[in-house]
Amino acid sequence: MEASRNRARRHGRRDFLTQSAGAALSAAALAGLGFSRNARAAEAVNIGALYPVTGSFAQIGQGCVNAAKLAVQMVNDAGGIKSLGGANLNLIVSDVQSDTTVTRTETDRLITGYKLSAIHGCFASALTLIASEVAERAKVPLLTGSSTDQLNKSRNYTFTPFARASQFAQAQLRIARLVNDKPKVAVVFENTAFGTATSNGLREQAPGEGAEIVLFEPYSAGLTDASPLINKVKASGANMLFPVSYLNDLILIIRAIKQVGLEVAINGGSGGFVIPDFYQNVGNLAEGLLGVAHWNHDIDANAEKVNAAYKQQYGEFLFEYAGGLVAQTFMIADALERAASTDPQKVRDALASLDVSSGYAAMCPGGKVKFGPDGKNIHAHPVGVQWQHADLATVFPKEDARASLLKA
């Protein structure tokens, strides 16, 4: 029943496809973040937002748009871009429909149809690779929570503030050693850019991290029955399973593990594992399960404040991609402030020189953002998370941990 109420709070597709942040936050929520509403007359700054609010990635995409509206309202109610006369950010949202072809056309439509200073999106690696190609040609800066390392090759306008897929793999393997001295790992992964990049990182780094990969099994995203996959895991003799999957596939995998009575430790990585809908669908089966994330809502005081406002508005915690998006919005605002211009080239150059260690723009694991020549945040690293009492707690590494790791 609670899950139904949470889903009912979400907006429909028509509500998402708006050109402004609107009244995304209640007055009480804004007051809790320390902001007040002020009228300004300066011309607004257009920010593009490419997210799938329909299709297979819709659960994550809808939450991202909610977070984008929250973040823009925060910037605007704090006085907007002061170097531009207090200009508001104007969020222009496009539904890319979880489809690569639509992503290409929508990215092009936003860039040619609006005077954009920057774009954020799409989180799903397969979609983000397409969007970044279009943005690169148009020379419009794009920030993204996508983790595929491919984004940092031959790109000059793409910025990735968070951990890369190869870093996720290392974190998963190191957490595995905390659970079992001799991890024998089964890796099952969807055959997309996200799944392939992450799983390859696991296979390459396993020997150096003292883990043995006993099964390395790709599957076509969009499972209808996970039982054959889990039977292979059972036959492999693995004592730990790494499923690299988005939400719907992951739900079927966890249920299949229960159905066949497989006793195996699970590190669900990122993707669908770290969003509230996962727990709402599998319930207590999630308790104690481990994962990795590029952002979590307990990483610092700013994250906790934003999470409280989001939870008040939408009835669930602020998950990885959505929370990271709030930080990205403040990075764009910081770049606009220093550029004192809406010109995308000047904004790109300001992003390239970004160096922050405080405030919402630094709301990342470790609390620092500085981009290298390839657009990677040189301070980025993932955190290990665990489902504890229907919430995600950061448990790894030690310096970022907010709760103790619970062993089965």
Side-chain angles (χ1 to χ4, degrees):
M1 181 65 71
E2 181 61 26
S4 298
R5 284 197 295 267
N6 285 341
R7 282 191 291 272
R9 291 186 180 100
R10 297 191 180 95
H11 300 296
R13 179 171 182 247
R14 181 176 299 175
D15 295 318
F16 283 100
L17 305 183
T18 60
Q19 293 186 21
S20 68
L25 289 174
S26 67
L30 286 167
L33 288 165
F35 299 115
S36 61
R37 298 180 184 274
N38 297 299
R40 286 169 293 274
E43 184 178 352
V45 181
N46 289 340
I47 302 298
L50 296 163
Y51 291 98
V53 298
T54 56
S56 58
F57 298 136
Q59 297 99 331
I60 297 176
Q62 289 172 352
C64 284
V65 175
N66 288 339
K69 292 179 178 180
L70 181 154
V72 165
Q73 194 68 57
M74 288 169 64
V75 171
N76 291 346
D77 286 333
I81 309 302
K82 298 174 182 62
S83 66
L84 295 175
N88 280 341
L89 297 184
N90 184 43
L91 188 69
I92 303 175
V93 181
S94 175
D95 177 13
V96 297
Q97 301 176 33
S98 308
D99 183 276
T100 53
T101 300
V102 175
T103 298
R104 187 179 299 279
T105 58
E106 283 300 291
T107 307
D108 183 67
R109 184 184 68 83
L110 283 191
I111 291 173
T112 58
Y114 299 91
K115 183 183 176 182
L116 299 181
S117 295
I119 301 171
H120 53 58
C122 304
F123 79 77
S125 296
L127 305 181
T128 311
L129 284 167
I130 298 297
S132 67
E133 288 177 6
V134 179
E136 284 284 325
R137 286 197 299 270
K139 298 185 177 181
V140 175
L142 181 145
L143 274 77
T144 180
S146 169
S147 62
T148 179
D149 292 84
Q150 296 176 54
L151 281 167
N152 301 106
K153 297 176 181 179
S154 303
R155 297 285 198 275
N156 294 303
Y157 291 80
T158 302
F159 297 90
T160 55
F162 305 106
R164 317 313 305 137
S166 53
Q167 294 175 291
F168 275 63
Q170 184 183 65
Q172 280 186 271
L173 292 163
R174 290 184 176 178
I175 293 169
R177 290 290 301 275
L178 299 178
V179 176
N180 193 304
D181 290 338
K182 296 181 179 180
K184 298 171 67 177
V185 179
V187 180
V188 297
F189 59 97
E190 60 165 62
N191 58 355
T192 65
F194 160 66
T196 301
T198 303
S199 59
N200 283 341
L202 288 166
R203 182 164 60 179
E204 291 166 4
Q205 297 184 50
E209 297 295 337
E212 179 186 0
I213 303 292
V214 297
L215 178 69
F216 193 78
E217 187 71 18
Y219 71 87
S220 297
L223 286 173
T224 56
D225 181 8
S227 298
L229 196 61
I230 297 308
N231 285 332
K232 290 183 180 181
V233 174
K234 191 172 185 179
S236 73
N239 57 29
M240 180 162 282
L241 170 64
F242 290 176
V244 186
S245 311
Y246 283 114
L247 179 65
N248 294 332
D249 291 345
L250 187 59
I251 291 168
L252 292 179
I253 288 170
I254 298 301
R255 288 175 177 169
I257 290 170
K258 175 69 173 178
Q259 289 166 1
V260 304
L262 177 61
E263 296 291 334
V264 64
I266 299 172
N267 189 315
S270 184
F273 180 83
V274 297
I275 68 175
D277 274 359
F278 175 68
Y279 197 99
Q280 292 163 10
N281 277 276
V282 304
N284 288 336
L285 293 179
E287 288 292 336
L289 300 189
L290 291 159
V292 290
H294 69 235
W295 190 94
N296 198 33
H297 58 274
D298 64 357
I299 57 171
D300 66 12
N302 283 328
E304 290 173 349
K305 288 179 183 179
V306 175
N307 180 58
Y310 185 92
K311 195 168 185 178
Q312 178 180 336
Q313 188 76 6
Y314 300 108
E316 58 191 26
F317 68 75
L318 187 61
F319 60 89
E320 175 190 29
Y321 296 113
L325 178 54
V326 176
Q328 290 174 64
T329 301
F330 276 86
M331 292 173 206
I332 292 172
D334 180 281
L336 286 163
E337 195 71 66
R338 288 183 294 109
S341 172
T342 61
D343 179 75
Q345 181 64 51
K346 293 181 179 178
V347 175
R348 179 264 169 213
D349 293 343
L351 283 168
S353 63
L354 183 72
D355 188 356
V356 292
S357 57
S358 64
Y360 292 105
M363 193 171 57
C364 306
K368 295 180 180 180
V369 180
K370 180 180 175 65
F371 294 113
D374 56 2
K376 292 181 187 176
N377 175 13
I378 64 173
H379 301 294
H381 65 270
V383 291
V385 295
Q386 185 175 45
W387 282 101
Q388 298 182 5
H389 312 295
D391 196 12
L392 269 184
T394 300
V395 297
F396 177 88
K398 184 177 181 179
E399 59 269 23
D400 292 310
R402 302 293 181 264
S404 298
L405 186 150
L406 302 179
K407 295 184 180 181

